[in-house]
Amino acid sequence: KQEVTQIPAALSVPEGENLVLNCSFTDSAIYNLQWFRQDPGKGLTSLLLIQSSQREQTSGRLNASLDKSSGRSTLYIAASQPGDSATYLCAVPDYKLSFGAGTTVTVRA
Amino acid sequence: GAVVSQHPSRVICKSGTSVKIECRSLDFQATTMFWYRQFPKQSLMLMATSNEGSKATYEQGVEKDKFLINHASLTLSTLTVTSAHPEDSSFYICSADREGTYEQYFGPGTRLTVT
């Protein structure tokens, strides 16, 4: 059974600082890994999807890396802004999508 | 592309009544759709997986007679909460697996309040 862990559970940084969010998974035989953002009371927005054959994926200020052998992925958010405040979830597909508990980010103006 | 909609976004119903929530993939076909429940400040909990034209597969502990799922077409799945009780109040989110990929797209969620 795939288990996904996210550290830290919460993070508070001043505006402009870079964010580093960690995700680990127990079964390295994954098809891909997705990072999502969830705002309070809203659904999930897909941020990045990394295929198992890829080592990283970039979109704007976001960069996600994947190390299958060690069962880790890291989401980097450069030059954080207050609008980046949200909960960030990583997930890997098994027969279902296994989610981490999320990292709640607060960016202080 | 790859938009998933849910309707309604919010619903309030009285205890004992039934509520139907729709999940639609607007611009792609989804062979598989998923229904999640989320409690405040917790992650998503998978309730069931539905495949077009077949019975849904429910996760352990989820009452299939209470949470009826129908996946009648490649773009529509419905979740009906029957005989709703206040403890069914929650945020329900659906997602759809784009045919031929392992990428899931999520709907905006439905806030159900049972009074």
Side-chain angles (χ1 to χ4, degrees):
Chain A
K1 180 190 170 189
Q2 180 74 269
E3 292 188 6
V4 182
T5 305
Q6 288 186 248
I7 295 172
L11 191 56
S12 178
V13 300
E15 183 176 4
E17 201 165 290
N18 296 332
L19 290 163
V20 180
L21 309 179
N22 298 297
C23 172
S24 62
F25 45 94
T26 54
D27 186 347
S28 62
I30 61 171
Y31 293 103
N32 60 48
L33 184 144
Q34 275 185 274
W35 282 95
F36 295 91
R37 168 185 172 140
Q38 186 176 30
D39 293 287
K42 305 289 185 184
L44 273 65
T45 300
S46 180
L47 297 175
L48 290 167
L49 179 143
I50 314 176
Q51 299 292 352
S52 62
S53 58
Q54 296 176 313
R55 303 209 92 185
E56 67 177 323
Q57 190 70 256
T58 299
S59 175
R61 293 184 294 112
L62 276 58
N63 174 276
S65 67
L66 175 64
D67 184 343
K68 275 180 54 179
S69 61
S70 65
R72 293 180 186 174
S73 176
T74 303
L75 178 66
Y76 302 90
I77 303 177
S80 61
Q81 303 168 358
D84 295 328
S85 298
T87 296
Y88 292 82
L89 298 157
C90 69
V92 293
D94 190 353
Y95 78 96
K96 62 179 183 179
L97 206 56
S98 296
F99 282 93
T103 296
T104 299
V105 171
T106 303
V107 180
R108 308 186 302 272
Chain B
V3 177
V4 175
S5 71
Q6 274 185 248
H7 178 80
S9 57
R10 292 177 180 270
V11 58
I12 301 172
C13 70
K14 292 186 177 180
S15 190
T17 61
S18 295
V19 175
K20 181 186 283 188
I21 302 170
E22 291 186 349
C23 176
R24 292 181 185 272
S25 57
L26 298 185
D27 53 1
F28 66 98
Q29 294 188 327
T31 48
T32 306
M33 287 184 168
F34 305 84
W35 287 96
Y36 296 84
R37 183 173 182 176
Q38 187 176 34
F39 293 102
K41 301 196 175 184
Q42 293 187 27
S43 193
L44 283 72
M45 180 191 80
L46 180 66
M47 299 174 66
T49 302
S50 76
N51 291 292
E52 185 262 340
S54 62
K55 289 184 179 179
T57 302
Y58 290 81
E59 294 297 299
Q60 192 172 8
V62 178
E63 299 175 59
K64 62 181 180 181
D65 294 330
K66 180 167 186 62
F67 298 100
L68 300 179
I69 291 171
N70 183 274
H71 193 160
S73 76
L74 286 172
T75 59
L76 173 64
S77 176
T78 60
L79 168 69
T80 302
V81 182
T82 62
S83 187
H85 290 285
E87 56 265 33
D88 298 325
S89 299
S90 191
F91 193 53
Y92 293 88
I93 305 176
C94 72
S95 71
D97 220 3
R98 192 171 200 165
E99 194 174 27
T101 77
Y102 285 97
E103 186 168 5
Q104 285 196 26
Y105 299 90
F106 284 78
T110 296
R111 172 74 59 193
L112 169 64
T113 304
V114 184
T115 60

